[in-house]
Amino acid sequence: MQNKYELSLSNEILTEYQEQIVFRYGLTQTDALLDFLLLLPNVIFTDPSYHWHLITNDEDDNKFVDCYIASRADYIISNDKHFHQIKNNPFPPVSVLNYKEFEARYHHSFSV
């Protein structure tokens, strides 16, 4: 492990982030927060060219799975139960960590 983490985003994910920020914090903070996010050096943009439709219970979550696969990410980090239902998917394999699992790996990687 290189002690380096990257965040993969797609346009669909950015749109959802924008909707959530507007809903939670209002329109005035949305542009500033997204601009800051887009300036981070560890943010990688991915444009998935294929939609896998692996999550059937909440179709909206598939944008995250598609970005994960297209960017060849190591894992999806989420406490959303829909992601954990597909983590044993045979093809394509999907690695999912909940927040506590990721935090444990994060702390371990910096203590080694």
Side-chain angles (χ1 to χ4, degrees):
M1 189 171 285
Q2 298 176 357
N3 296 336
K4 180 181 177 187
Y5 293 92
E6 296 175 333
L7 174 64
S8 294
L9 297 175
S10 67
N11 283 330
E12 283 186 282
I13 292 172
L14 279 175
T15 300
E16 177 153 332
Y17 285 178
Q18 181 181 29
E19 291 170 359
Q20 290 299 316
I21 292 169
V22 167
F23 176 74
R24 295 167 195 251
Y25 303 107
L27 191 57
T28 57
Q29 292 195 348
T30 303
D31 289 340
L33 290 170
L34 287 177
D35 286 346
F36 179 75
L37 178 66
L38 298 174
L39 291 173
L40 295 173
N42 61 331
V43 173
I44 308 300
F45 286 97
T46 303
D47 186 21
S49 58
Y50 186 80
H51 300 284
W52 290 89
H53 303 286
L54 296 180
I55 298 177
T56 56
N57 295 343
D58 188 353
E59 294 276 330
D60 201 41
D61 286 342
N62 280 307
K63 69 175 123 307
F64 298 98
V65 176
D66 295 339
C67 185
Y68 159 84
I69 294 169
S71 66
R72 298 180 182 179
D74 293 325
Y75 31 75
I76 294 174
I77 302 163
S78 177
N79 281 348
D80 186 318
K81 64 182 177 183
H82 300 118
F83 293 106
H84 293 277
Q85 291 172 351
I86 64 164
K87 70 180 178 182
N88 294 320
N89 195 55
F91 184 81
V94 179
S95 297
V96 181
L97 298 176
N98 64 37
Y99 299 152
K100 288 186 183 273
E101 291 168 331
F102 175 72
E103 183 179 26
R105 284 185 187 221
Y106 177 82
H107 287 298
H108 175 73
S109 69
F110 284 103
S111 64
V112 174

